[in-house]
Amino acid sequence: MASFSAGIAKYAKKTGLSIDNAVIAVCAEASTSIIKMTPRKSGRAAGNWFATIDEVSSETSETRREGEAMADAMAKSKKAAGHIFNLTNNLSYIYRLEMGWSKQARDPDGMVRITAEKITNSLKRL
Amino acid sequence: MTHDAILTSTFSKLATISGLPKIFYPNISYTVIPDEYMAVYIIPAPTESVTIDGCEYQYGIIQIDAVTLDSVGAIKSAQLAEKIIAAFRVGTVIATGLEVHKPSYASVGMNDGAGHYKTPITIRYQCYDKY
């Protein structure tokens, strides 16, 4: 966690952003990546990412679309500095999308793990 | 390093690990599914741009599933997972320029809906290609 914080500080210094704005940028980038990488056969899975501050969402939705999830994550990212930013998906099959599921011959999508790699590696390499 | 080189190197490394059941490689169909097997997936992240030292930086995830029959408990699957984790520790050089750069780990096991139970193992790799 210390190296992640150091990465945020380096990112702020390099971009000229304040630490708060660097946190906002990283939360927004991570959310965008995860939502965009989520497979969208029906759009339900991508639309069920819920961003929250200092609490974990227990919500699910049948009608929420990817665009709404993205807009909400962007809005919540702006409040993330100094808080705990969570991005949660409570659909029962979200773990199977991440890890793969042989019943439907579904290879793993790895959207959360790849995003974590992308963000931490980018910060480390600044 | 090309994607096919990453695949080839990973498959070669897996072949050196003793005590594993049959390994299922990506995009190969199998008519007979054994009670126990390993399944391999390579999930590359988008390639980073060429860096100041003239290297193209690539990274991603190798996911290996340790699969056993459903309803026989989780221990066998966890034991197979441990063999993989032991073979892909941090710093393991899979091939020249391709290495494991963070600790490998097993995630929560799950029923796959097809009569088997799997424990997914995540191996995080990175590679540099000197231009």
Side-chain angles (χ1 to χ4, degrees):
Chain A
M1 193 54 81
S3 64
F4 186 75
S5 303
I8 296 271
K10 274 166 72 179
Y11 177 66
K13 191 174 177 186
K14 184 163 183 174
T15 56
L17 293 171
S18 66
I19 295 284
D20 283 1
N21 283 336
V23 168
I24 290 168
V26 169
C27 290
E29 170 65 27
S31 302
T32 303
S33 172
I34 291 171
I35 295 168
K36 277 187 174 172
M37 284 184 71
T38 301
R40 47 183 56 68
K41 191 175 174 186
S42 68
R44 187 169 172 239
N48 265 271
W49 287 105
F50 289 90
T52 47
I53 301 293
D54 292 333
E55 61 181 6
V56 177
S57 172
S58 57
E59 273 187 274
T60 57
S61 171
E62 293 299 320
T63 56
R64 198 166 179 258
R65 311 306 297 174
E66 177 190 340
E68 292 172 65
M70 196 80 83
D72 183 47
M74 294 304 104
K76 297 280 171 44
S77 294
K78 290 179 183 170
K79 300 173 184 168
H83 296 274
I84 297 173
F85 177 84
N86 294 287
L87 188 70
T88 312
N89 193 313
N90 292 301
L91 292 181
S92 58
Y93 58 87
I94 197 69
Y95 187 63
R96 288 172 176 160
L97 294 180
E98 174 74 23
M99 295 296 182
W101 199 33
S102 47
K103 187 175 183 183
Q104 294 190 349
R106 165 130 226 132
D107 286 355
D109 287 284
M111 57 272 186
V112 174
R113 289 171 295 165
I114 287 292
T115 297
E117 281 296 282
K118 201 161 72 172
I119 298 292
T120 55
N121 287 338
S122 295
L123 292 175
K124 202 168 95 180
R125 292 174 52 76
L126 286 170
Chain B
M1 178 171 276
T2 59
H3 185 57
D4 71 302
I6 295 171
L7 292 176
T8 306
S9 307
T10 303
F11 299 163
S12 298
K13 169 73 178 171
L14 280 170
T16 67
I17 305 170
S18 62
L20 293 182
K22 185 175 181 60
I23 299 171
F24 284 10
Y25 294 103
N27 197 30
I28 294 178
S29 297
Y30 298 91
T31 49
V32 178
I33 307 295
D35 292 349
E36 292 176 3
Y37 63 93
M38 313 298 285
V40 187
Y41 308 93
I42 312 279
I43 314 170
T47 304
E48 297 276 330
S49 56
V50 177
T51 59
I52 199 164
D53 58 357
C55 289
E56 187 181 78
Y57 178 72
Q58 296 171 295
Y59 58 91
I61 287 170
I62 301 162
Q63 181 177 320
I64 301 175
D65 293 342
V67 188
T68 61
L69 279 179
D70 190 18
S71 303
V72 297
I75 301 298
K76 180 63 182 176
S77 179
Q79 287 170 338
L80 292 171
E82 198 51 47
K83 282 181 191 287
I84 298 295
I85 291 169
F88 288 92
R89 294 203 186 282
V90 178
T92 299
V93 176
I94 301 170
T96 304
L98 172 62
E99 67 173 29
V100 179
H101 76 125
K102 290 178 184 168
S104 302
Y105 62 91
S107 294
V108 177
M110 64 178 175
N111 181 304
D112 74 352
H116 286 84
Y117 175 88
K118 75 171 184 179
T119 299
I121 301 113
T122 300
I123 298 159
R124 293 168 288 185
Y125 71 83
Q126 66 176 11
C127 47
Y128 290 95
D129 251 357
K130 195 81 177 173
Y131 268 51

